[in-house]
Amino acid sequence: MSLKAFFVLPLLRVATALYSPAITTYQGPAPSHLTETRGLIRASYAHPNQATTSLTGIPSYTTTSASSHSIAYTNSTSPPAPTATGNGTLPACKKVQYDFPAGQGGNATRAAAVVEAYQYAWNGYKEYAFGKDELLPLSKSYTQDWYGWGVTIVDGIDTAIVMNLTDIVEEQLAYIQTIDFTTTKYGTVEIFDTSIRYIGGLLSSHDLLRSGLFPNSYNQDQVNALLAQAVTLANKVAYGFDTPTGIASTNVNFTSNTPVQGTYTVGNVTYNSTNTASAGTFLLDWLRLTDLTGNTTYQQLVERGESYLVNPNPAPVYPGLVGTQFDVDTGRLLSFDGGWHSGVDSFLEYTLKSYYYKQTSTTTEYKDFWLQAVQSTIEYIALHPYNFPDLTFISELDVNGTITETMDDYSCFAGGNFLLGCKALDMPELCDLGIAAADGCHQTYNTTLTGLGPLYWGWYNSSNEQYDPTEDNDAAARKFAAEYGYFIEYQDETWADFPESIESWFYAYRITGDQRWADYVWEVFLAINETARNDVAFTHVNNVNMPFGGSQADALDSFFFAEVLKYIYLTFADPNVVNLDQFVFNTESHPLLVQCGDGNIDNSAGAGTASAMAGSARRRFEHAAE
């Protein structure tokens, strides 16, 4: 395939944006519990500075560069002229990962057990669902919920690569080359998951195989197809940014190449809207796509919409803690239900990770926004349940910005995100918050009958009250909370391949070197094998607090391969396998090469590297030790 083919986009010109988002101050009443005593964040992580409840040196945040352009759309097939994004002199890589002694930090026996789990699940998928989206392990059938492109294969291939499962990777590469990403018979395409699972999986596999760190004796046409397929799919997803603000729509019609809007109703008014996580989780993957192709249009697309999210109008109740809905037509914030939970989570995750991936003036602004959100988290929503001063949960807010004393499993990624920020930004106090948050999520696993964590839980505040008054009178919830500090919300007792807590413990182990985090991960792996494994593959678990999970549910998500097994495996592999100094993970656990190094760490970035994309050049990684 010619290099020119990598740059064909359904977009033509870049012009000056008319929108300059204004920053306003919240004018509403003080939220309830605003004066609640929270106390210090307590953590066991050893570092020179003591734990604090505030951060220092956070700049006043505003952004201008991200909204300096707009995109005009057309169905013309004329490609834009590619703009090279060669890295020039790259900064030295940041030392993030703990300096494990040579030959230490891994556990070959445990790593081998995780590899066996991947092979077992893959064999079930291959027998009953190969080429389909996801396996139904109880009915021995499959779903096509992700457009019939084989999401389990694309989402899971990079895990097989890092496990060195060359026979499986060969099957996966051969299949990926045949996918037609330009069409689907399964309705409009939801572009958030399409980007993080498909595009992220393709780019990650490309980076891993081109890094020189993993075996690459595969068919090189198939390896080249990873990037080519990512470009093909991104060019269709790009129509989702064809909105008045550039905030991505929720779906795209691949037949008509038009955005399909979601809606959100406030009172009697219904708005075209996209939830914040969906709109704000393109940055990392599409910045990588820009660097690999040399085409800055991908970056411009995602940064235009992002400018509204990081300049919320009206301002959220607490700085940085935006709610879950934005008006696609005007860019206005529609709700105040902020936090680190589902609907917001990966937007905040990417404001830090895009900076860690590549430091620019724009990603520096995103990082500053992230710091504002972290500051607000420490001051207002990192809470200790009644009679549990050493236990920390991160509350979500309701649509009015009121603290709810509830948390979902998705929020459990935040511990790892804080730890990454601690090391990447040289802010030790963030390690306190990260360890405390990771420990809080471990409490919800370590105290159930199965050893797996639930979807959603609540707790009683410092006044021994709950946001939901019906739970003040729930005797069972109060007894459980008195024993463990939290209670499981009714009908949210399921474990559905949740990777977020495992993710944070992986970060905690790789960053602190403390063995207890690896042991936590192993305990959960054993619990998964005990309760979620059946005679075909693995399943969901319906009730984590019943013996053996009560019953199993007929589902196996692609992210079980992409996230759950990858994070567990990397906890026990040699720590230099996907070293945190060299890679940054997208929100689906797809590692991408960070843009740093003393000797051009990433030789496949930029428009002038056709030979690097066509060959299997090995890369020399050089790291600056602090």
Side-chain angles (χ1 to χ4, degrees):
M1 179 174 292
S2 69
L3 187 63
K4 180 180 178 181
F6 289 128
F7 301 111
V8 178
L9 284 172
L11 319 165
L12 284 185
R13 66 180 179 86
V14 177
T16 301
L18 300 177
Y19 177 76
S20 178
I23 298 180
T24 60
T25 302
Y26 177 69
Q27 301 295 329
S32 63
H33 308 317
L34 187 60
T35 59
E36 180 182 343
T37 300
R38 291 164 179 81
L40 291 175
I41 301 295
R42 295 175 171 85
S44 62
Y45 179 72
H47 57 73
N49 297 333
Q50 294 300 310
T52 65
T53 55
S54 64
L55 307 180
T56 58
I58 297 179
S60 177
Y61 181 78
T62 184
T63 183
T64 55
S65 61
S67 57
S68 63
H69 55 265
S70 63
I71 306 295
Y73 293 75
T74 176
N75 286 326
S76 168
T77 59
S78 302
T83 303
T85 58
N87 292 311
T89 302
L90 293 167
C93 291
K94 188 71 178 176
K95 183 62 180 173
V96 167
Q97 186 162 293
Y98 178 78
D99 190 13
F100 291 92
Q104 297 184 31
N107 186 314
T109 301
R110 290 180 174 183
V114 186
V115 170
E116 186 278 332
Y118 186 103
Q119 293 170 314
Y120 183 73
W122 171 259
N123 288 338
Y125 169 80
K126 182 179 177 180
E127 181 174 357
Y128 298 107
F130 185 84
K132 310 302 182 183
D133 282 334
E134 291 176 330
L135 171 68
L136 297 176
L138 298 185
S139 57
K140 298 181 179 179
S141 186
Y142 57 84
T143 70
Q144 294 282 53
D145 292 342
W146 300 105
Y147 318 113
W149 297 324
V151 68
T152 293
I153 296 174
V154 182
D155 212 10
I157 182 174
D158 60 353
T159 304
I161 290 171
V162 301
M163 290 179 172
N164 197 20
L165 295 173
T166 55
D167 54 339
I168 293 176
V169 174
E170 286 178 351
E171 294 178 281
Q172 294 168 331
L173 284 172
Y175 175 81
I176 289 170
Q177 189 180 32
T178 69
I179 302 172
D180 182 1
F181 280 120
T182 66
T183 186
T184 178
K185 62 182 179 181
Y186 297 101
T188 61
V189 175
E190 186 260 285
I191 60 176
F192 161 72
D193 276 284
T194 298
S195 184
I196 65 172
R197 298 198 201 193
Y198 282 112
I199 296 176
L202 292 166
L203 295 177
S204 173
S205 300
H206 172 273
D207 270 8
L208 292 170
L209 291 177
R210 292 294 183 219
S211 70
L213 299 174
F214 299 93
N216 186 9
S217 59
Y218 306 109
N219 181 310
Q220 292 306 296
D221 287 339
Q222 294 173 356
V223 175
N224 291 339
L226 294 169
L227 180 56
Q229 289 284 54
V231 169
T232 296
L233 183 54
N235 291 350
K236 297 291 284 188
V237 170
Y239 287 105
F241 297 96
D242 186 10
T243 66
T245 58
I247 295 175
S249 61
T250 58
N251 289 51
V252 168
N253 185 316
F254 271 33
T255 301
S256 62
N257 292 333
T258 54
V260 179
Q261 305 290 2
T263 60
Y264 181 73
T265 301
V266 180
N268 295 321
V269 180
T270 298
Y271 300 88
N272 290 327
S273 72
T274 300
N275 84 61
T276 308
S278 295
T281 312
F282 293 94
L283 273 179
L284 183 58
D285 309 85
W286 288 54
L287 291 179
R288 185 68 188 131
L289 191 59
T290 282
D291 284 337
L292 286 170
T293 63
N295 195 318
T296 59
T297 307
Y298 298 116
Q299 176 180 338
Q300 293 159 358
L301 284 172
V302 298
E303 288 184 347
R304 180 180 177 229
E306 191 80 6
S307 67
Y308 293 84
L309 307 188
V310 297
N311 285 278
N313 181 19
V317 174
Y318 304 120
L321 297 180
V322 296
T324 62
Q325 296 290 331
F326 276 83
D327 185 337
V328 171
D329 296 325
T330 67
R332 288 180 62 83
L333 178 65
L334 296 175
S335 63
F336 295 96
D337 47 341
W340 298 78
H341 55 281
S342 175
V344 184
D345 46 4
S346 49
F347 157 64
L348 291 175
E349 176 186 2
Y350 272 26
T351 54
L352 172 68
K353 286 185 172 180
S354 62
Y355 172 80
Y356 184 57
Y357 167 72
K358 188 174 186 179
Q359 296 181 26
T360 68
S361 59
T362 302
T363 61
T364 298
E365 292 165 351
Y366 299 154
K367 176 263 296 180
D368 292 342
F369 181 88
W370 181 84
L371 282 171
Q372 294 248 328
V374 174
Q375 175 70 67
S376 293
T377 299
I378 292 173
E379 292 185 4
Y380 302 113
I381 64 171
L383 306 178
H384 308 306
Y386 181 73
N387 272 350
F388 284 79
D390 295 322
L391 181 60
T392 300
F393 292 133
I394 300 175
S395 179
E396 58 186 69
L397 308 176
D398 70 9
V399 292
N400 298 311
T402 303
I403 290 170
T404 64
E405 292 105 23
T406 57
M407 183 174 177
D408 65 12
D409 181 87
Y410 301 103
S411 308
C412 285
F413 90 94
N417 201 229
F418 300 147
L419 286 163
L420 177 62
C422 164
K423 301 300 290 186
L425 306 180
D426 291 319
M427 301 182 72
E429 58 269 42
L430 293 182
C431 278
D432 291 336
L433 180 62
I435 294 297
D439 266 327
C441 290
H442 179 250
Q443 178 79 348
T444 68
Y445 277 69
N446 194 45
T447 53
T448 66
L449 289 179
T450 61
L452 297 175
L455 170 61
Y456 205 64
W457 60 92
W459 61 92
Y460 297 94
N461 65 22
S462 60
S463 300
N464 202 18
E465 298 174 342
Q466 226 288 322
Y467 166 85
D468 182 351
T470 63
E471 287 167 339
D472 279 333
N473 299 316
D474 189 324
R478 282 204 169 273
K479 290 177 180 178
F480 198 88
E483 183 74 17
Y484 301 117
Y486 75 100
F487 58 88
I488 300 173
E489 294 281 1
Y490 176 61
Q491 293 186 332
D492 288 319
E493 304 93 345
T494 184
W495 182 81
D497 297 336
F498 300 138
E500 289 80 12
S501 291
I502 302 168
E503 172 185 352
S504 283
W505 305 335
F506 159 74
Y507 274 98
Y509 180 59
R510 284 286 190 94
I511 286 174
T512 71
D514 187 341
Q515 179 62 34
R516 74 180 175 102
W517 298 107
D519 291 340
Y520 291 170
V521 172
W522 182 246
E523 290 167 1
V524 171
F525 179 69
L526 295 178
I528 291 170
N529 273 279
E530 177 68 19
T531 57
R533 188 164 176 152
N534 75 341
D535 62 353
V536 172
F538 293 86
T539 70
H540 290 186
V541 174
N542 285 325
N543 192 318
V544 298
N545 215 27
M546 290 182 65
F548 309 108
S551 60
Q552 295 179 327
D554 194 13
L556 180 62
D557 301 284
S558 69
F559 52 78
F560 180 80
F561 296 86
E563 298 188 76
V564 173
L565 293 181
K566 185 184 291 104
Y567 283 128
I568 297 175
Y569 173 76
L570 290 177
T571 302
F572 303 113
D574 186 294
N576 285 318
V577 177
V578 191
N579 191 308
L580 293 179
D581 301 343
Q582 301 169 347
F583 290 90
V584 58
F585 289 86
N586 91 336
T587 195
E588 189 80 359
S589 187
H590 295 308
L592 303 170
L593 283 164
V594 295
Q595 300 303 279
C596 64
D598 295 331
N600 197 7
I601 188 172
D602 183 12
N603 291 328
S604 57
T609 57
S611 61
M613 290 194 292
S616 181
R618 299 186 66 83
R619 179 178 290 106
R620 178 169 61 101
F621 292 97
E622 299 178 2
H623 301 280
E626 294 184 333

